[in-house]
């Protein structure tokens, strides 16, 4: 095992192979040592392995002298909201988000409910690898408490962010697909509070995910599309396993990818807050930029990763962020991805405009997207990127995360070194199929040629 614990999305692995109880205890001891006897809110998703991993982490936290406040089974954004609202020193969430059923993971939150930054991850890792665990005296160990109010506090917080009367007045019908994940615990209830009629599919919590993969994608939401059309719903919404991402289906049953729903929310937000900035990773669609600039706002780009977006929102006091995978961060509520909050915002847009969801999506510009990869040994990545930077000078270039090049016809290409594989990931977007293909082919050839030469 490499001397890293945290990947792009916290600590992840296969339950009882990578994430054994012994491993979880050592991680828990490291987290407890890091927080030095603080109050930690602990929660888990509905995976089969979550209870044993949560118990192992809880025991370890208590042993270091931390108080473990157990929120039980909750969506990740509910736990994150609870950390701030209940004045905790930190939080731990047992979840593997959208990964396959055999996986699980451990996410660590700071006192503000946002995942700890890379620097603090390193500190936890050092404690872990050096085995530098603080163990409290027998009479100084922590207490275990139940915090059953977290879901309720979260529900009220979301309702407090939208015009409940306006949405209730619209009498919307919503088809919900929690994908056998934990949003089943709270989203249908929030929708009923908002006066919506609710029908569901895959709404029993089952950590084997029998209904569909816990990652909502256009190719696995046919059940939801069918339900929307069969029930005459105004919209459908699908969540990932732990409820921080939401993907929408219009009343005609069409699935829309997350950058388009984020663009709708950004447009509404800028109409109310003219000139504000919107934060998104460099891999996001041009549709976000088009909408933001058309409404007099500005885009603040970040590296790819939701924590980068959240931390940017906090450091520059910005109110809205989002990713193309359906993760929207609405700062007035909390600067982290939140699927239920995103849903409430879309309902408010429908109620305010009186338009159909298909009409709203059809108002947005359309782009063609392509993704591809080019192999490159790890040790050559830096030199290839450097060379790429030197040859693409001229057009608008952004080098926050790999190299992104914009062209005057609104097309762009992004070349990013993968953090986990010996490859470059290529993302391209353009108004036409021909143009996006042409761009992709040009850069694949260029990169392959550079890799073989360098
Ligand atoms: Mg997730």
């Amino acid at each position: 095992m490499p001397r890293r614990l945290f990947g792009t999305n916290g600590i992840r692995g296969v339950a009882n192979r990578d994430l054994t109880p012994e491993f979880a205890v050592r991680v828990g001891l490291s987290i407890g040592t890091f927080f030095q006897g603080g109050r930690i809110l602990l929660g888990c998703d509905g995976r089969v392995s979550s209870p044993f991993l949560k118990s192992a982490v809880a025991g370890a936290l208590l042993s270091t002298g931390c108080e473990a406040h157990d929120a039980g089974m909750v969506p990740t954004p509910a736990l994150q909201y609870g950390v701030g609202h209940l004045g905790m020193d930190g939080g731990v969430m047992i979840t593997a988000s959208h990964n396959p059923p055999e996986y699980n993971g451990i996410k660590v939150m700071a006192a503000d409910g946002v995942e700890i930054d890379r620097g603090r991850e390193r500190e936890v890792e050092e404690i872990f690898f050096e085995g530098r665990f603080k163990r409290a005296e027998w009479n100084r160990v922590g207490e275990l408490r139940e915090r059953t109010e977290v879901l309720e506090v979260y529900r009220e917080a979301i309702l407090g962010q939208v015009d409940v009367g306006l949405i209730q007045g619209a009498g919307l019908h919503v088809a919900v697909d929690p994908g056998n994940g934990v949003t089943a615990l709270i989203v249908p209830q929030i929708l009923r509070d908002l006066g919506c009629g609710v029908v569901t599919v895959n709404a029993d919590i089952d950590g084997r995910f029998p209904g569909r993969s816990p990652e909502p994608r256009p190719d696995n939401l046919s059940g939801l599309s069918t339900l929307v059309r069969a029930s005459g719903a105004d919209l459908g919404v699908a969540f990932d396993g732990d409820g921080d991402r939401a993907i929408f289906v219009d009343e005609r049953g069409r699935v829309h990818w997350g950058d388009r729903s984020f663009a709708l929310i950004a447009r509404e937000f800028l109409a109310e807050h003219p000139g504000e900035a919107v934060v998104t990773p460099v891999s996001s669609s041009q549709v976000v930029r088009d909408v933001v600039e058309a409404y007099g706002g500005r885009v603040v780009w970040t590296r790819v990763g939701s924590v980068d977006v959240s931390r940017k929102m906090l450091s520059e006091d910005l109110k809205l962020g989002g990713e193309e995978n359906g993760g929207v961060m609405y700062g007035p509520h909390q600067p982290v991805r939140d699927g239920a909050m995103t849903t409430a915002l879309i309902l408010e847009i429908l109620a305010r405009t009186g338009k159909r969801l298909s009409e709203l999506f059809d108002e947005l510009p359309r782009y063609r997207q392509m993704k591809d990869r080019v192999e490159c040994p790890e040790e050559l990545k830096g030199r290839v990127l450097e060379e790429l930077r030197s040859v693409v000078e001229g057009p608008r270039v952004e080098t926050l995360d790999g190299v992104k090049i914009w062209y005057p016809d609104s097309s762009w290409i992004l070349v990013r070194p993968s953090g986990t594989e010996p490859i470059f990931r290529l993302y391209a977007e353009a108004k036409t199929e021909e143009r996006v293909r042409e761009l992709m082919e040009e850069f694949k050839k260029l990169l392959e040629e550079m890799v073989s030469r360098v």
Side-chain angles (χ1 to χ4, degrees):
M1 190 172 164
R3 284 176 82 78
R4 288 299 322 257
L5 207 50
F6 291 88
T8 339
N9 287 299
I11 301 165
R12 290 272 168 95
V14 172
N16 260 350
R17 189 189 72 192
D18 314 307
L19 269 64
T20 58
E22 305 91 294
F23 175 82
V25 164
R26 289 177 63 86
V27 172
L29 289 170
S30 309
I31 296 169
T33 303
F34 172 79
F35 281 107
Q36 300 181 20
R39 288 149 39 99
I40 310 297
L41 191 64
L42 190 59
C44 69
D45 66 13
R47 284 170 190 267
V48 177
S49 56
S50 289
F52 90 70
L53 290 168
K54 191 181 73 174
S55 304
V57 171
L61 289 174
L62 300 178
S63 146
T64 63
C66 284
E67 280 180 22
H69 293 241
D70 187 358
M73 202 191 280
V74 289
T76 298
L79 180 106
Q80 293 180 291
Y81 186 80
V83 168
H85 184 83
L86 302 173
M88 296 282 141
D89 297 300
V92 176
M93 181 73 191
I94 308 297
T95 180
S97 183
H98 58 277
N99 288 147
E102 64 273 23
Y103 281 79
N104 215 325
I106 304 172
K107 273 183 188 248
V108 186
M109 322 301 172
D112 57 11
V114 181
E115 281 164 72
I116 55 171
D117 58 28
R118 302 293 177 213
R120 284 181 280 180
E121 283 181 356
R122 287 281 185 193
E123 287 180 47
V124 175
E125 280 171 344
E126 273 170 31
I127 298 167
F128 179 91
F129 289 113
E130 291 167 14
R132 221 172 357 93
F133 308 133
K134 180 195 162 200
R135 296 181 200 268
E137 290 292 322
W138 70 272
N139 56 355
R140 297 280 161 120
V141 298
E143 271 183 59
L144 181 63
R145 302 191 182 178
E146 286 204 4
R147 298 308 291 248
T148 50
E149 74 270 44
V150 169
L151 275 180
E152 187 54 30
V153 160
Y154 174 66
R155 181 176 73 95
E156 279 169 15
I158 288 173
L159 295 173
Q161 291 296 337
V162 288
D163 187 336
V164 175
L166 178 77
I167 299 172
Q168 284 174 339
L172 296 164
H173 286 264
V174 188
V176 184
D177 178 0
N180 304 113
V182 280
T183 49
L185 288 171
I186 192 71
V187 168
Q189 196 189 336
I190 291 174
L191 293 172
R192 288 187 193 104
D193 292 334
L194 293 169
C196 298
V198 180
V199 287
T200 59
V201 59
N202 305 323
D204 50 327
I205 297 174
D206 187 332
R208 291 162 302 157
F209 300 105
R212 63 162 167 84
S213 147
E215 174 161 38
R217 289 187 312 261
D219 61 306
N220 64 24
L221 297 181
S222 58
L224 179 62
S225 287
T226 306
L227 180 63
V228 166
R229 278 179 279 122
S231 65
D234 296 296
L235 71 157
V237 58
F239 299 94
D240 75 330
D242 67 328
D244 50 7
R245 288 160 51 182
I247 293 291
F248 294 90
V249 174
D250 69 25
E251 80 286 356
R252 292 165 54 193
R254 295 182 302 172
V255 181
H256 296 268
W257 196 231
D259 38 23
R260 299 181 70 76
S261 38
F262 178 45
L264 290 182
I265 290 169
R267 189 169 74 170
E268 183 75 8
F269 173 78
L270 287 166
E272 281 173 40
H273 305 86
E276 285 249 7
V278 171
V279 189
T280 200
V282 286
S283 54
S284 284
S285 169
Q286 183 71 16
V287 70
V288 173
R289 183 177 176 180
D290 285 355
V291 163
V292 168
E293 289 178 354
Y295 279 75
R298 108 191 124 85
V299 176
V300 173
W301 303 102
T302 68
R303 294 173 62 85
V304 176
S306 69
V307 183
D308 295 279
V309 178
S310 293
R311 290 269 162 226
K312 187 60 129 184
M313 289 172 67
L314 284 171
S315 68
E316 299 200 5
D317 194 23
L318 303 174
K319 298 284 180 291
L320 185 67
E323 295 179 304
E324 97 291 351
N325 59 18
V328 175
M329 297 88 159
Y330 185 60
H333 170 53
Q334 58 175 346
V336 296
R337 302 185 293 192
D338 189 326
M341 186 70 248
T342 307
T343 307
L345 291 171
I346 290 286
L347 293 175
E348 194 177 43
I349 293 171
L350 286 169
R352 181 157 290 142
T353 60
K355 291 181 180 171
R356 311 293 291 167
L357 190 54
S358 62
E359 274 180 78
L360 288 165
F361 276 121
D362 287 342
E363 288 167 4
L364 298 175
R366 280 221 160 265
Y367 288 94
R368 302 285 165 185
Q369 293 174 331
M370 253 182 109
K371 287 183 185 176
D372 214 325
R373 48 168 63 191
V374 168
E375 283 176 30
C376 176
E378 206 56 48
E379 62 276 14
L380 298 183
K381 281 178 178 173
R383 278 159 67 198
V384 171
L385 270 184
E386 223 169 88
E387 188 163 335
L388 182 64
R389 267 178 221 137
S390 69
V391 300
V392 297
E393 273 171 284
R396 233 200 106 195
V397 177
E398 173 66 74
T399 55
L400 262 174
D401 194 356
V403 178
K404 181 172 183 176
I405 304 142
W406 277 281
Y407 295 89
D409 66 352
S410 297
S411 61
W412 58 265
I413 183 146
L414 168 66
V415 178
R416 277 183 71 227
S418 161
T420 50
E421 293 172 75
I423 56 167
F424 281 111
R425 291 186 196 285
L426 281 71
Y427 311 67
E429 199 177 48
K431 286 204 167 121
T432 65
E433 195 71 39
E434 300 89 277
R435 175 68 177 138
V436 76
R437 274 185 197 290
E438 174 194 289
L439 255 181
M440 189 56 91
E441 267 156 41
E442 179 192 337
F443 275 82
K444 268 185 84 174
K445 249 175 68 186
L446 180 66
L447 271 175
E448 279 162 355
E449 189 260 325
M450 280 178 178
V451 173
S452 62
R453 189 156 36 83
V454 159

